[in-house]
Amino acid sequence: MAPPTQEIRENPPVKSSRTHLYVSRFANLSGNPDEDYFAAGITQDVVAALSRFSGLNVIVRLPRPEPQPQARTTYYTLEGSVRRAADRVRVNASLTNATGEHIWAEKYDFDLVDMFDVQDELSRSIPAALNVKIEEAERYRILAEPLKGSSAYDFYLRGRHIEKSLKPDEVRRAKEMFLAAVDADPAYARGYLGLAWLDIRKLKWNERADMEATLASAFASASKALELSPCDADVHWALGVVHLWRGEAERAIGCYERGRELAPNNCDLLAEYCDALGYLGLLEDAIRIGELALRLNPSRPDWYFWNIAAARYLSGQYTEALALLEKMADLGSAYRLLAATYAQLGRLEDARRAAAELLKLNPEFSIERYGSRAPYRDKALLARYVEGLRLAGLPE
């Protein structure tokens, strides 16, 4: 698959398997025409970074016309401004949809010690935020439309919206959506990618399943997605998880790193890489990359905290792990780590309560199944986790 396009157009295409993002050149509000180069440089860097997200067609354009109230929300526009005064610079950025509704806005203030550091930071932060906000907006847009006549892209986004649910009925619905995406367009890679993730989650969430068959199914789906879309970072990420759970550490790291090359500011990929590095015993790297994901994602989901907390726990930093877990609004399967963390801190009553919450969500959880599957390269780290689970009173 060719990289996302960068071109100048006056009107957005009506249909596309990718979301269209129009980037207006950042305005120079410094009052000094000599600073135009600075605003232009920021625009160029942001566009280059955004173009690495495979779900976006990034189009550089002049400021858009007035929004049309009846327009279908099929594209988004990023606008920004730069104001530089002495040794300070402020950058404002905002995202709107086709009807002019504001989706996201942020301001960035810097001490202008090194101009290139400022541009580098913005070229990471703005694309990371937009990738999250645009996908979120697209999911809700699709859900508001009738299912009849949906495209492969629409089916995929519907599946993505419900795939992380712990409810079996919703998991089945997610699978139906991904299969519908494949039927609607067999050449659309993300339908297969969604199917791969449904298999992967069975292992990650300690569900009862045949591990060998589940991994084989996930690998087949992810490999088909890679064949169709070799430049999609999310596909390499999914293959990295499969190799990790197969015990193929080097291949796993290679896939994650390839994903980072293709989309270095993909926050979810970074947060998932944190989880993988924890399993592989590279705990300092796991914490560093997990904290980068937290910093870049303005809408960070709870599982970011869970993955960093796991690395803290495995490092013996139980107090720090608990502080991260307490930031989660909905713990879900993270009650497993919370129970172990409380137990290691000697708070056994709290540990048993957390264990009981986990068993409400996953009544079939067992320490033996978790310990036999989880891809820890260092068995001493696995033993530390299992010790906490046993102290919390979870079933063998």
Side-chain angles (χ1 to χ4, degrees), residues 190-207:
R190 293 211 160 196
Y192 300 97
L193 180 61
L195 293 171
W197 273 112
L198 287 181
D199 284 323
I200 289 168
R201 55 159 279 160
K202 294 177 185 177
L203 304 176
K204 289 174 69 68
W205 291 7
N206 199 235
E207 296 178 16

Side-chain angles (χ1 to χ4, degrees), residues 24-232:
S24 295
R25 295 178 177 87
F26 278 48
N28 171 25
L29 302 182
S30 302
N32 181 0
D34 291 340
E35 301 294 339
D36 285 348
Y37 77 94
F38 186 67
I42 289 176
T43 306
Q44 183 177 6
D45 288 347
V46 169
V47 166
L50 283 166
S51 296
R52 302 182 78 169
F53 287 104
S54 59
L56 292 176
N57 272 332
V58 182
I59 304 165
V60 182
R61 57 168 291 168
L62 298 173
R64 62 185 174 88
E66 288 300 311
Q68 301 174 16
Q70 302 303 317
R72 175 186 167 103
T73 310
T74 55
Y75 67 94
Y76 299 84
T77 300
L78 171 66
E79 298 174 309
S81 63
V82 179
R83 186 185 299 276
R84 181 177 174 183
D87 294 327
R88 295 282 294 170
V89 62
R90 167 169 290 184
V91 176
N92 289 287
S94 65
L95 180 72
T96 54
N97 62 25
T99 63
E101 179 185 3
H102 282 271
I103 304 298
W104 167 86
E106 189 60 86
K107 66 179 180 181
Y108 303 88
D109 290 305
F110 301 95
D111 290 319
L112 198 56
V113 177
D114 188 323
M115 182 190 312
F116 296 108
D117 286 344
V118 172
Q119 290 183 219
D120 183 60
E121 177 64 23
L122 291 169
S123 70
R124 295 171 67 87
S125 299
I126 293 177
L130 262 60
N131 185 55
V132 171
K133 289 299 183 180
I134 289 174
E135 181 174 319
E136 181 181 275
E138 281 290 276
R139 286 204 307 269
Y140 284 109
R141 178 182 70 80
I142 294 301
L143 291 170
E145 296 178 352
L147 189 61
K148 184 178 180 180
S150 293
S151 67
Y153 174 67
D154 295 346
F155 283 124
Y156 169 73
L157 287 179
R158 288 176 183 272
R160 279 278 295 166
H161 187 72
I162 56 178
E163 70 172 330
K164 293 181 174 61
S165 172
L166 291 170
K167 298 177 181 178
D169 287 346
E170 293 193 355
V171 174
R172 283 192 289 271
R173 282 181 55 220
K175 185 173 183 177
E176 290 172 2
M177 293 298 102
F178 294 138
L179 288 171
V182 171
D183 288 341
D185 184 356
Y188 182 57
R190 293 211 160 196
Y192 300 97
L193 180 61
L195 293 171
W197 273 112
L198 287 181
D199 284 323
I200 289 168
R201 55 159 279 160
K202 294 177 185 177
L203 304 176
K204 289 174 69 68
W205 291 7
N206 199 235
E207 296 178 16
R208 189 181 295 277
D210 182 310
M211 184 170 180
E212 185 175 345
T214 301
L215 281 171
S217 177
F219 182 74
S221 296
S223 297
K224 180 62 176 178
L226 181 65
E227 175 188 330
L228 295 170
S229 185
C231 291
D232 189 333

